[in-house]
Amino acid sequence: MAKEGVEKAEETEQMIEKEAGKEPAEGGGGGGSHRLGDAQEMRAVVLAGFGGLNKLRVTRKAMPEPQDGELKIRVKACGLNFIDLMVRQGNIDNPPKTPLVPGFECSGIVEALGDSVKGFEIGDRVMAFVNYNAWAEVVCTPVEFVYKVPEDMSFSEAAAFPMNFVTAYMMLFEVANLREGMSVLIHSAGGGVGQAVAQLCSTVPNVTVFGTASTFKHEAIKDSVTHLFDRNADYVQEVKRISAEGVDIVLDCLCGDNTGKGLSLLKPLGTYILYGSSNMVTGETKSFFSFAKSWWQVEKVNPIKLYEENKVIAGFSLLNLLFKQGRAGLIRGVVDKLIALYNQKKIKPVVDSLWALEEVKEAMQRIHDRGNIGKLILDVEKTPTPLMANDSTETSEAGEEEEDHEGDGENKERMPFIQ
Ligand SMILES: NC(=O)c1ccc[n+]([C@@H]2O[C@H](COP(=O)([O-])OP(=O)(O)OC[C@H]3O[C@@H](n4cnc5c(N)ncnc54)[C@H](OP(=O)(O)O)[C@@H]3O)[C@@H](O)[C@H]2O)c1
C-alpha cells in the first residue's frame, strides 16, 4: 500500500506543528495541495483515537505517492458509510491503530500511475475502494480496486456507488439468488444500502420488498419499497399478516434479536444474510452493554434445525472479501454489471447530502440521528458552511484527550446542501 501509514502521518504532524506559524489556516475548504518544505501535502480527516465525534479533525498530511501497482487519485468526493461510525467508535473486529485516516471509498481523477499499472491513464475519472485513507484530498490504492466512472455519473454519485451497490448486488444475486416473484425483507430501507437493494430488486420482475425505516422517511421512499413499516413496529407480525409463509430473503444489518426474527420469517428454501450490526451503535461512543446485548440476543443456530426447516443462513462482508480474501476480480465483474445497469438508467445512487471534510462530525451526527435518506458524501471541494456562534467543530488536536459524551446531541447548526 502507499506510504501513508501511521508513522508517516505522525512524522508529518510533528513537522506541521514545528512549522505551525507558517501554515495556512485549516478548514479553508476548496482544497488544493500545499508544500511544507520539500514535502507536498494535502488535507485529510484524521481519527486521533477511538471514541466520539471529538476524535475527528482535519489536518495536513504528507501526500502519498503511488507504489508499484497503485493509482494516485485526486479525490473529489468520498462515501460516508455506517461502518465509518463503527470504526470511529472502535466497534469493529481487530481495529487498526490510530491515528488513521478513515474512509473506504472515493471518486476522483487519476493523477499518477505506479509502475506496472495498465488500463488507466492520467485524467481518467474513477471511483475506488481504499483500505482506509479515503477521506483525503489525494489517495493511492491498488489498481484492482479502481473502476472507471461512466460519463454522465457525477463524482458524488460515483462516491455513493461502490460500497452500497456492490454489497446489495452480491447479497441479492451472488448469495441469495434473487429471482422473479421472490420477496425480500430489508432493514434501514431508506439508507445507502437499503435504497440500493430496493433499486436492484426493481430490476427483477414481480419482486416484493418489505422494508423497515424511521417513519419520517416513508413518504420519500414509498415508491421504492412495496410494504414499509416503522423501524419500531412488530415487523414479523406485519409481514406475516401480508404473507403468511414469510419471505424468501432476509437481509439483516441490525443483528441482535433481529437474527431470530429474520430466521423465523424465512419461507422454506429462504436465505437469511447477516451483513451488519447497527444495533451495537446506541450512542456516540462504543457501548459494551449494547455490544454484549446484541451478541447475546443472536439466535444460536443449530444446523440440524436448518436441515429440517430447509433454511439457508449466510454472512456477507464486502470489506473482508476485498481486502482480506482476495476477491477483487469477482467484485470487478459485479461493478461492470452495475455500471451497465446505471447506463441503462435502471439504478441511480441516492445522495442524501454533501459535506465538506471539515463538516465530517455533523455528517456523522446526521447518521446517528437517523436523519439520512440515501448516502452522505464528503465533498472535498466544498467550502464548509459558516459555523454558528458557540460551535466548536474544529477543535481537537490529534491525540488530545477530551471527554466523550455518549449521545451528545447538542451539535451543530450548519445546514448542509441537500440534493
Ligand atoms: N457487510 C457489508 O459488506 C456491508 C457493506 C455496507 C454496509 N453494511 C451495513 O449495512 C448497514 C447500512 O449501511 P449504510 O452505510 O447504508 O448506512 P445507512 O443505512 O445509510 O445507515 C443509516 C441508517 O441506519 C438506520 N439505523 C439502524 N440502526 C441505527 C443506529 N444504531 N444508529 C443510527 N442509525 C441506525 C437508520 O435508519 P432508520 O432509522 O430509518 O432505520 C439510519 O438512518 C450497516 O449496518 C452497515 O454496517 C454492510
Side-chain angles (χ1 to χ4, degrees):
M1 297 293 290
K3 282 193 266 168
E4 57 179 336
V6 170
E7 279 172 29
K8 188 149 185 177
E10 283 171 348
E11 184 185 301
T12 310
E13 280 169 18
Q14 283 161 16
M15 287 162 62
I16 290 170
E17 276 160 21
K18 271 190 214 158
E19 301 261 298
K22 299 175 204 165
E23 282 304 291
E26 212 176 75
S33 54
H34 301 262
R35 281 187 174 275
L36 184 67
D38 282 341
Q40 267 221 306
E41 52 165 17
M42 61 174 186
R43 282 154 64 236
V45 175
V46 170
L47 181 68
F50 298 116
L53 297 166
N54 60 2
K55 298 296 182 191
L56 292 161
R57 64 184 290 233
V58 175
T59 189
R60 295 193 181 282
K61 281 172 58 74
M63 189 178 291
E65 289 304 326
Q67 306 298 293
D68 187 16
E70 290 187 343
L71 289 165
K72 178 179 178 184
I73 301 167
R74 174 66 55 176
V75 177
K76 296 285 185 181
C78 319
L80 199 170
N81 295 293
F82 196 88
I83 186 77
D84 299 312
L85 275 63
M86 299 189 74
V87 168
R88 193 201 72 227
Q89 296 186 336
N91 214 341
I92 53 169
D93 274 348
N94 300 317
K97 286 198 176 125
T98 56
L100 59 84
V101 174
F104 295 106
E105 64 185 340
C106 65
S107 62
I109 296 174
V110 175
E111 193 164 272
L113 308 174
D115 290 344
S116 80
V117 168
K118 293 199 172 56
F120 289 89
E121 287 175 13
I122 291 171
D124 280 347
R125 299 170 77 246
V126 293
M127 53 191 166
F129 289 111
V130 195
N131 195 6
Y132 294 96
N133 292 310
W135 294 354
E137 286 178 312
V138 173
V139 153
C140 290
T141 195
V143 63
E144 69 225 72
F145 304 137
V146 185
Y147 319 93
K148 286 185 187 160
V149 170
E151 238 170 54
D152 55 353
M153 187 186 270
S154 69
F155 283 117
S156 350
E157 281 186 334
F161 195 74
M163 182 82 99
N164 291 347
F165 277 95
V166 173
T167 300
Y169 187 98
M170 294 205 71
M171 290 195 298
L172 289 173
F173 298 111
E174 303 277 334
V175 183
N177 195 13
L178 176 68
R179 296 184 305 283
E180 182 170 356
M182 283 185 157
S183 52
V184 178
L185 170 68
I186 176 84
H187 297 291
S188 308
V193 174
Q195 282 296 285
V197 164
Q199 290 185 17
L200 286 169
C201 285
S202 75
T203 66
V204 178
N206 197 22
V207 169
T208 304
V209 180
F210 296 90
T212 72
S214 290
T215 300
F216 89 91
K217 301 177 186 176
H218 289 199
E219 182 58 27
I221 65 172
K222 64 178 191 304
D223 292 340
S224 61
V225 179
T226 324
H227 303 286
L228 262 174
F229 313 118
D230 180 72
R231 69 181 180 87
N232 293 314
D234 181 351
Y235 64 86
V236 174
Q237 286 309 314
E238 297 282 353
V239 171
K240 285 199 165 156
R241 201 170 45 77
I242 298 164
S243 169
E245 256 208 314
V247 296
D248 295 294
I249 299 170
V250 173
L251 302 178
D252 180 10
C253 61
L254 301 178
C255 199
D257 63 351
N258 293 283
T259 302
K261 290 179 182 175
L263 282 169
S264 77
L265 272 175
L266 282 186
K267 289 180 184 176
L269 300 180
T271 304
Y272 163 94
I273 306 176
L274 180 69
Y275 71 105
S277 48
S278 297
N279 277 349
M280 288 184 189
V281 176
T282 48
E284 195 183 313
T285 53
K286 179 175 176 175
S287 157
F288 287 97
F289 175 73
S290 306
F291 176 84
K293 183 176 164 204
S294 197
W295 189 87
W296 178 252
Q297 287 180 329
V298 173
E299 176 108 347
K300 309 297 179 286
V301 183
N302 179 349
I304 295 171
K305 203 168 165 228
L306 295 178
Y307 153 78
E308 286 167 349
E309 295 179 352
N310 272 309
K311 289 181 178 174
V312 179
I313 186 163
F316 182 77
S317 163
L318 177 58
L319 294 178
N320 285 353
L321 210 53
L322 273 169
F323 300 127
K324 290 189 182 162
Q325 296 162 345
R327 294 299 189 274
L330 172 68
I331 286 156
R332 182 171 296 284
V334 169
V335 173
D336 289 346
K337 288 177 194 160
L338 287 166
I339 287 175
L341 289 171
Y342 178 86
N343 287 334
Q344 293 158 24
K345 304 203 182 316
K346 291 186 173 165
I347 59 172
K348 188 173 173 64
V350 177
V351 175
D352 172 75
S353 46
L354 308 181
W355 305 78
L357 291 182
E358 291 76 9
E359 294 168 332
V360 62
K361 297 178 196 183
E362 293 97 317
M364 280 197 174
Q365 184 66 53
R366 184 166 171 85
I367 300 187
H368 279 297
D369 293 343
R370 299 172 178 270
N372 65 302
I373 299 176
K375 180 90 159 209
L376 282 87
I377 297 296
L378 298 179
D379 177 348
V380 173
E381 293 175 352
K382 182 177 182 287
T383 305
T385 308
L387 293 167
M388 304 288 279
N390 300 329
D391 191 304
S392 58
T393 301
E394 303 303 329
T395 49
S396 60
E397 293 297 314
E400 186 182 329
E401 283 303 315
E402 293 178 46
E403 203 184 336
D404 284 333
H405 301 283
E406 178 138 348
D408 185 355
E410 59 175 54
N411 238 336
K412 323 307 182 236
E413 302 284 340
R414 286 175 171 148
M415 285 301 291
F417 165 62
I418 310 281
Q419 279 199 330

